[in-house]
Amino acid sequence: MRILHTSDWHLGQHFMGKSREAEHRAFLQWLQVTVNKHNIDALIIAGDVFDTGTPPSYARTLYNQFIVNLRQTCCQQLVIVGGNHDSVATLNESRELLAFLNTTVVGGVSETPDDEVVLLKNARGEPAVALCAIPYIRPRDVLESRSGDSDSDKQLALQNAIASHYQTVFSKAAEHKLPVVATGHLTTVNGQLSESVREIYIGTLHAFPASGFPPAAYIALGHLHKPQKVSGQEHVRYSGSPIPLSFDETATAKQVVMVSFNGSPKPEITEIPVPVFRPLLSIKGSLEAIEQQIKQISTDSGLAPWLEIEVASDDYLSDVQSPVQDMVADLPLEVLRVRRQRNTQSASLVREARETLEELDVSEVFTKRLEDEPLEDDRVQALTRAFNEVLDTIHNDVNDDLNAGKVVSEKEVAQ
């Protein structure tokens, strides 16, 4: 029995105003070939298949086409669980139809634990693995709020509630006397984040401890975009996003994870590298050094590289955009952002990087605003925690509106 673990596709993502459609299309074509090459029996997408709760039409088309095309491969089972970027309603709207294509969709937490248990079959059509298909867990899914509790009480109660949900579903899966695999979409303690990951604050709970997971043979996680093991445990992993979703992700190779059960309850785990479909490159230094680095960039990839340029502060020119654009004018490259090197001694947003609001997300704006204030570290942490809780509440309210069928504009989602 061979399972392929992937997550965080973020179909429909716009990166600094640019569509990722070409890269996602190339990845999905590669994935179909990879499934056949490695004789994969079941594919798991551990959340954030879409970048927003209202994905553009081309993202939905890529999603639907892939599911149909997967039927032409040796992989006859697909399991999709919802992530924090996904709308439960959007994922679930085609759930019954996709079931006829051997695709199981678990958009949100179910009131019935059996609904989150999926039996995965091997190439002979025999049940071989019991999957706990657990999606992103929102506080209201597992816990009733109580007034008067301290922050630490709320955090412990929520942590225990999430662990209890995992244990309940795991117990149902274990009844089948098969190896058990579980999914999850959350931040774990000591997980490595990247720029493109919005930290999940489930109520007051920032990160879930690995000890809270049940004793599954493998735990397929989503949300963090850098592939990694959790607390050094081989069987608890983030597959990471298949394409870099921010410039700081380019230093880490992308991958999907193959989990093979060969008659033993302990699986063999293999990392399969994902090709670079479009290079994302960060270049720093003086204008002279930047020009030399640009000349060394390979343009052999199918899609033109995207660049982020950071000009050293010792360059006195008031306009650094024009010289950089002149450097790439005749090259198959595209510069998405040019900024001056940040002065760590300056607190002003304008003085620090001359960044516009269009270049920053709301979390970055808040972080930079805090840097303007002479606050102690514990105060900064408290304000950041409160801000992220508010942000997560707003995000959940938007999903509630979507689940209720309310029309939500793209502006409202962004806000």
Side-chain angles (χ1 to χ4, degrees), residues 9 11 23-32 62 66:
W9 291 5
L11 299 179
E23 295 153 90
H24 277 130
R25 189 180 300 279
F27 163 68
L28 295 179
Q29 291 171 349
W30 172 87
L31 188 58
Q32 289 172 224
L62 285 177
F66 175 79

Side-chain angles (χ1 to χ4, degrees), residues 71-366:
R71 294 287 293 164
Q72 311 305 315
T73 71
C74 63
C75 179
Q76 296 299 296
Q77 298 164 100
L78 172 62
V79 180
I80 302 166
V81 300
N84 62 303
H85 279 254
D86 295 312
S87 160
V88 176
T90 298
L91 288 184
N92 285 350
E93 67 184 1
S94 56
R95 179 173 55 187
E96 286 76 15
L97 180 61
L98 294 180
F100 287 97
L101 297 175
N102 280 359
T103 297
T104 302
V105 178
V106 183
V109 172
S110 173
E111 294 181 359
T112 306
D114 285 329
D115 293 342
E116 294 178 24
V117 176
V118 181
L119 294 184
L120 301 180
K121 298 178 181 179
N122 58 24
R124 298 186 297 275
E126 304 164 341
V129 168
L131 175 67
C132 301
I134 299 176
Y136 170 54
I137 299 175
R138 295 171 172 83
R140 63 178 179 272
D141 296 331
V142 294
L143 190 67
E144 292 184 5
S145 60
R146 298 181 301 180
S147 60
D149 285 350
S150 66
D151 284 348
S152 59
D153 289 338
K154 292 178 181 178
Q155 181 169 343
L156 181 59
L158 188 52
Q159 178 179 307
N160 289 339
I162 293 174
S164 177
H165 182 78
Y166 266 97
Q167 187 58 52
T168 299
V169 179
F170 175 80
S171 296
K172 290 290 183 181
E175 292 176 0
H176 295 279
K177 308 299 182 184
L178 297 169
V180 177
V181 170
T183 68
H185 193 91
L186 72 177
T187 304
T188 52
V189 174
N190 297 324
Q192 299 177 28
L193 279 69
S194 57
E195 282 182 359
S196 56
V197 175
R198 182 176 67 82
E199 291 191 65
I200 295 178
Y201 278 75
I202 309 174
T204 57
L205 184 64
H206 166 43
F208 186 72
S211 59
F213 290 120
Y218 182 80
I219 299 179
L221 298 176
H223 179 56
L224 302 189
H225 297 167
K226 294 182 178 180
Q228 56 196 280
K229 304 169 190 175
V230 175
S231 299
Q233 300 183 68
E234 289 286 333
H235 72 292
V236 185
R237 294 186 178 228
Y238 289 95
S239 62
S241 60
I243 67 171
L245 300 173
S246 60
F247 280 108
D248 72 328
E249 292 180 22
T250 58
T252 305
K254 296 299 184 178
Q255 64 179 39
V256 293
V257 182
M258 182 171 67
V259 184
S260 305
F261 290 91
N262 301 309
S264 169
K266 184 177 180 180
E268 178 183 341
I269 299 170
T270 307
E271 299 167 359
I272 302 175
V274 177
V276 176
F277 305 106
R278 182 196 302 276
L280 268 61
L281 304 171
S282 290
I283 297 178
K284 301 178 182 180
S286 65
L287 287 174
E288 182 180 353
I290 288 170
E291 185 172 18
Q292 292 302 316
Q293 292 178 67
I294 287 176
K295 290 179 179 179
Q296 297 173 10
I297 295 175
S298 171
T299 56
D300 294 336
S301 60
L303 299 174
W306 286 346
L307 308 184
E308 173 190 54
I309 306 292
E310 188 170 313
V311 182
S313 57
D314 56 357
D315 281 306
Y316 60 87
L317 294 176
S318 59
D319 176 22
V320 295
Q321 182 85 29
S322 298
V324 170
Q325 292 297 345
D326 290 342
M327 294 176 193
V328 301
D330 299 322
L331 299 174
L333 307 171
E334 192 166 359
V335 177
L336 301 193
R337 177 164 66 186
V338 178
R339 59 185 179 184
R340 287 188 180 277
Q341 189 177 69
R342 297 185 179 186
N343 183 352
T344 57
Q345 312 226 330
S346 173
S348 166
L349 291 179
V350 176
R351 293 197 308 271
E352 183 179 37
R354 295 193 177 181
E355 292 169 319
T356 65
L357 287 177
E358 286 77 9
E359 291 178 328
L360 304 172
D361 63 27
V362 64
S363 296
E364 290 173 323
V365 172
F366 181 79

